[in-house]
Amino acid sequence: MKTRIGIIGIVTLVFMAIVVACTPAAAPTPTPTAPAKAAPAPTTAAAPAATPTAAAPAAKPTEAPAAKPAVTTPIKIGFLTPLVGVYASLGADMRDGFLLYLDQKGNTLAGRKVEVIVEDTEVKPDVGLTKAKKLIERDKVNMLAGVISSGVAAGIADYVTSQKTPLMLTNAGDDPLTQQKASPYIFRISFANSQNSMPLGEFAYKKGYRTAVLVASDYPAGWHHTGGFARTFTEAGGKIIQEIYYPLGSPDLAPFITTIKQDANVVHTFSAGADGLKFVTQYAEYGLKGKIPLLCNWCTTEDMLDKEGDAAVGVVNGYPFAPSLDRAQTKAFVEAFTKKYNRPVPPQAEFGYTGAMAIDAALQATKGNIEDVDAFIKALEGVQIEAPRGPIKFDKYHNVVQNIYITEVKKVDGKLVNAVVETAQNASQFWKWSPEDYLKMTQYADLKGKWVK
Amino acid sequence: MNFWILQSLNGLSYGMLLFLLAAGLSLSFGLMNIVNLAHGSYFLVGAYVGLTVMERTGNFMAAVVVGAISVGILGLLMQRLLLRRLTDHLAQVLLTIGFLFILGDLSLVIWGGVPQIIPKPPLFEGPIRIMESVFPSYRLLVIGVGIVVAIFLWWLQDRTAMGANVRAAVDDEEMAGSTGINVALLMTVVFGLGAAMAALGGVVGGAFLTIFPGQDMDVLLLALVVVIIGGLGSLKGAFVAALLVGLLDNFGKALFPELALFTIFAPMAIILAIRPTGLFGRA
């Protein structure tokens, strides 16, 4: 019997080690480096020439490039995305959005064939880094794109910069990557985490809410999203009365949801993917729906909305894209995505699609010469697009400037939709502050746990 | 007051789920001396089969029954054809961990990577009021199912001839065999029953915990913790330990959310230090 206990003990220890090692949460926390060297020097040269406005997403065949491209070998793009784990659904949607655009262009951008190599990050920073190394060193890709999790993005940022490989982030919103730790090689077409939530904090105050509870998955994206909300909400005069952080991908959120203070005016959460599904359904199961209004970032994206069902009705969300937008480009994109993949269109699909659009625009401007990395980056900096989500461009820290939509889940003809109730036009990652003032403020990672006064 | 009632019920419902999961593992290890690391896969595959049945028929009972039976048969086959031949623990670990990966990847191919949730039976969709607090009625159902299964197993083990045979075989396999008990058949049946219970847990749990790739490893770890705390081969031990772990996990998360992973492993270490055979295990 003794040996048996020994064996089962050893086996358990090994599994503990595996599970702890695989816990996606704690990514290397961004160290507060001096913001001085941060901003990549703003491009001054030849800006107007390099502002190609990409065609509307309607599947227009690319016109033959004016000049023959210098190189004719295929362009290789490494695409990092999670295909298992808490963000598996968002990862697949982001990838398919990216591939949809290339498909519409016949897999040819600026006269060169494009080859995409997809790698699964499993939402784990260490796996993400291994896969990034594999793509750059073994597959010799020209650039990287993708990434869902802020943790993974923070984990690979230093490496891709050291390799001078351009990286187009099509979701991961880790704030410091386009702020204190901005890199000349990293662009972000999706959002900085708090870019989504700062408008929501002001919205909450305007709605008359004065006390709020923050609930978030415990990793950078959670701290940034709730932090942005808390920053503008408390500035307006609101009060944070409780903060709850749960491990990303917790099997059960009930122990956390049941501790929410019942006298709060409003609850704000960052819960995405499977966590969003659990949060919204359990929030209703425990009778909080209808009692305390729920504002969130990402908890009702279209990949989960149908599974959440009526529990999601009335939930308010803040992000840069909703498939219900009344724009020609949005409709064309949603139609194309639905036709090809036959499933709902969450924002991540659009981020992938638009990421490919931006790459295309920069390639057109450089005649497909992605090998000249500096010229390619300069071209990317000048990109302005009429994307499905609205007009977008990059700020000088390489983060996207765009509309942020505040939506509410409504039932229209028996179908659940995120309907836009308010739009923050051309919102930058610095919201109403100047970049200099904003970067002087304490970072969200350090403010976590200190919002309750 | 409210807080304690609510959290206790939460912990109990989670604990009952753990009991369904761990009972089979404890029995197969105690009775057959089989280290079965594929036990977590039974949970996951059961949940996915239940999901498919639920989507096709819309009948929750059918989902539970089909999920449990199909995985029970899978367990029977695994034991009969493969595990029975291996007496070496290392060989068993290698074989079953292989199954863990194969079944996990097969599920990924068949059901995809997107997290799923099994629709609850309509009767148990809403919350109910207990004193001043609101509690999901479905979780009460889970507690009920756990109690019923526990009573059934107790009855099976303590009040039936089969149970007496099982107890005899746990105590001394050779002696039991020499009195005419067909130990080999008995083992196969018990193993299948354990697999079916894990699958039952998967279907029941899939309706409130979501199902996703990688869950097999997560639940296996919890099941091992329960078995270690409860003691090998003891149903009573598995029951008590499962409730203990469920409650500890829940209160730990509610009171110290940032120590969430720590709160179930610390008690395990303490119990191992004081009682190396677990609460109800025999040396």
Side-chain angles (χ1 to χ4, degrees), chain A residues 135-168:
Chain A
L135 287 169
I136 291 178
E137 291 168 23
R138 214 170 80 197
D139 298 329
K140 307 257 186 280
V141 296
N142 297 102
M143 69 173 298
L144 293 175
V147 189
I148 287 280
S149 157
S150 288
V152 174
I156 65 170
D158 286 346
Y159 173 70
V160 298
T161 304
S162 74
Q163 296 294 311
K164 298 192 169 39
T165 305
L167 164 64
M168 173 65 69

XYZ file of all heavy atoms in Angstrom, chain A residues 135-168:
246
model
N 8.664 30.246 -35.925
C 8.246 30.906 -37.166
C 9.368 31.763 -37.741
O 9.598 31.783 -38.948
C 7.004 31.772 -36.902
C 5.705 30.996 -36.687
C 4.612 31.911 -36.169
C 5.262 30.336 -37.991
N 10.059 32.485 -36.870
C 11.083 33.406 -37.371
C 12.359 32.656 -37.760
O 12.935 32.892 -38.819
C 11.388 34.486 -36.311
C 10.178 35.408 -36.157
C 12.624 35.298 -36.706
C 10.340 36.481 -35.115
N 12.780 31.718 -36.900
C 14.091 31.115 -37.134
C 14.041 29.915 -38.076
O 14.969 29.697 -38.844
C 14.723 30.719 -35.797
C 15.113 31.957 -34.985
C 15.465 31.645 -33.537
O 15.840 30.489 -33.251
O 15.361 32.560 -32.695
N 12.970 29.143 -38.001
C 12.938 27.962 -38.859
C 12.179 28.216 -40.150
O 12.623 27.865 -41.232
C 12.327 26.785 -38.100
C 12.965 25.476 -38.514
C 12.563 24.346 -37.613
N 11.252 23.840 -37.946
C 10.526 23.082 -37.123
N 10.986 22.766 -35.944
N 9.344 22.645 -37.495
N 11.004 28.835 -40.022
C 10.207 29.073 -41.227
C 10.642 30.342 -41.948
O 10.195 30.605 -43.061
C 8.725 29.181 -40.857
C 8.204 27.890 -40.246
O 8.708 26.829 -40.626
O 7.309 27.958 -39.392
N 11.467 31.149 -41.289
C 11.970 32.381 -41.901
C 10.833 33.263 -42.444
O 10.862 33.697 -43.593
C 12.931 32.056 -43.056
C 14.057 31.105 -42.670
C 15.362 31.861 -42.470
C 16.540 30.945 -42.237
N 16.652 30.445 -40.868
N 9.840 33.533 -41.607
C 8.729 34.370 -42.060
C 9.192 35.815 -42.186
O 10.135 36.246 -41.516
C 7.531 34.298 -41.085
C 6.961 32.901 -41.053
C 7.932 34.749 -39.690
N 8.510 36.576 -43.065
C 8.861 37.981 -43.235
C 8.289 38.839 -42.122
O 8.843 39.875 -41.768
C 8.329 38.500 -44.579
C 8.973 37.780 -45.739
O 8.377 36.900 -46.337
N 10.216 38.125 -46.024
N 7.123 38.416 -41.620
C 6.533 39.161 -40.511
C 5.608 38.252 -39.723
O 5.244 37.169 -40.171
C 5.767 40.386 -41.014
C 4.496 40.059 -41.774
S 3.519 41.529 -42.172
C 3.091 42.173 -40.561
N 5.217 38.725 -38.529
C 4.252 37.988 -37.722
C 2.961 38.790 -37.639
O 2.968 40.018 -37.758
C 4.789 37.772 -36.303
C 6.001 36.862 -36.128
C 6.439 36.872 -34.673
C 5.661 35.444 -36.562
N 1.852 38.086 -37.409
C 0.578 38.754 -37.170
C -0.224 37.887 -36.219
O 0.144 36.753 -35.926
C -0.177 38.959 -38.487
N -1.327 38.457 -35.716
C -2.217 37.690 -34.851
C -2.046 38.041 -33.387
O -1.801 39.184 -33.045
N -2.165 37.050 -32.533
C -2.063 37.089 -31.073
C -3.354 37.595 -30.416
O -3.779 38.737 -30.641
C -0.884 37.932 -30.545
C -0.751 37.716 -29.047
C 0.411 37.566 -31.247
N -3.979 36.754 -29.610
C -5.191 37.134 -28.881
C -4.853 37.689 -27.499
O -5.338 38.733 -27.092
C -6.133 35.918 -28.712
C -6.809 35.550 -30.041
C -7.191 36.193 -27.654
C -7.982 36.391 -30.429
N -4.001 36.982 -26.766
C -3.845 37.305 -25.346
C -2.764 38.349 -25.103
O -1.655 38.274 -25.645
C -3.506 36.035 -24.567
O -2.849 36.356 -23.368
N -3.076 39.316 -24.252
C -2.084 40.315 -23.845
C -0.863 39.656 -23.236
O 0.261 40.119 -23.423
C -2.694 41.261 -22.806
O -3.625 42.113 -23.387
N -1.073 38.575 -22.498
C 0.038 37.885 -21.867
C 1.006 37.347 -22.904
O 2.229 37.505 -22.776
N 0.480 36.725 -23.949
C 1.335 36.184 -25.000
C 2.051 37.321 -25.730
O 3.250 37.246 -26.006
C 0.509 35.335 -25.992
C 1.365 34.897 -27.163
C -0.090 34.131 -25.283
N 1.319 38.400 -26.016
C 1.928 39.525 -26.732
C 3.091 40.101 -25.935
O 4.171 40.353 -26.479
C 0.877 40.609 -27.001
N 2.881 40.293 -24.628
C 3.956 40.829 -23.790
C 5.139 39.868 -23.776
O 6.291 40.290 -23.723
C 3.440 41.073 -22.373
N 4.832 38.570 -23.847
C 5.884 37.574 -23.795
C 6.767 37.537 -25.038
O 7.941 37.193 -24.958
N 6.214 37.899 -26.208
C 7.015 37.796 -27.432
C 7.565 39.143 -27.890
O 8.387 39.202 -28.797
C 6.212 37.168 -28.600
C 5.049 38.059 -29.018
C 5.711 35.781 -28.233
C 4.380 37.605 -30.297
N 7.121 40.246 -27.262
C 7.444 41.583 -27.783
C 8.950 41.818 -27.878
O 9.455 42.234 -28.922
C 6.793 42.652 -26.905
N 9.668 41.552 -26.781
C 11.101 41.829 -26.795
C 11.815 40.987 -27.850
O 12.730 41.448 -28.518
C 11.709 41.537 -25.416
C 11.326 42.614 -24.416
O 10.843 43.673 -24.861
O 11.497 42.384 -23.205
N 11.352 39.746 -27.985
C 11.998 38.859 -28.946
C 11.817 39.357 -30.383
O 12.781 39.457 -31.141
C 11.469 37.434 -28.800
C 11.964 36.507 -29.871
C 13.295 36.108 -29.903
C 11.116 36.068 -30.876
C 13.762 35.284 -30.905
C 11.573 35.242 -31.881
C 12.896 34.850 -31.901
O 13.357 34.050 -32.897
N 10.590 39.696 -30.775
C 10.387 40.121 -32.170
C 11.121 41.431 -32.446
O 11.637 41.648 -33.535
C 8.891 40.252 -32.564
C 8.186 38.941 -32.453
C 8.180 41.304 -31.779
N 11.190 42.295 -31.429
C 11.935 43.534 -31.621
C 13.417 43.235 -31.845
O 14.045 43.798 -32.740
C 11.757 44.457 -30.405
O 10.371 44.684 -30.205
C 12.450 45.787 -30.626
N 13.945 42.313 -31.044
C 15.370 41.991 -31.196
C 15.639 41.344 -32.551
O 16.739 41.433 -33.080
C 15.816 41.061 -30.071
O 15.308 39.761 -30.291
N 14.641 40.688 -33.119
C 14.809 40.055 -34.422
C 14.490 41.008 -35.577
O 14.549 40.615 -36.736
C 13.893 38.829 -34.531
C 14.224 37.709 -33.557
C 15.559 37.085 -33.841
O 15.874 36.736 -34.959
N 16.394 36.962 -32.804
N 14.060 42.227 -35.231
C 13.660 43.210 -36.241
C 12.609 42.636 -37.201
O 12.661 42.845 -38.408
C 14.881 43.690 -37.033
C 15.931 44.412 -36.174
C 16.928 45.083 -37.105
C 17.873 46.038 -36.508
N 18.525 45.952 -35.301
N 11.692 41.885 -36.639
C 10.609 41.320 -37.445
C 9.328 42.101 -37.177
O 8.921 42.214 -36.027
C 10.364 39.851 -37.065
O 11.583 39.132 -37.194
C 9.303 39.218 -37.950
N 8.695 42.651 -38.206
C 7.443 43.380 -37.955
C 6.374 42.447 -37.384
O 6.290 41.278 -37.763
C 7.030 43.873 -39.341
C 8.263 43.809 -40.171
C 9.081 42.684 -39.618
N 5.590 42.978 -36.447
C 4.504 42.213 -35.836
C 3.242 43.055 -35.901
O 3.226 44.198 -35.424
C 4.854 41.888 -34.376
C 3.710 41.424 -33.465
C 3.124 40.107 -33.937
C 4.200 41.276 -32.023
N 2.204 42.508 -36.531
C 0.921 43.206 -36.580
C -0.011 42.525 -35.582
O -0.498 41.427 -35.828
C 0.332 43.124 -37.996
C -1.070 43.674 -38.134
S -1.195 45.442 -37.840
C -0.320 46.099 -39.257
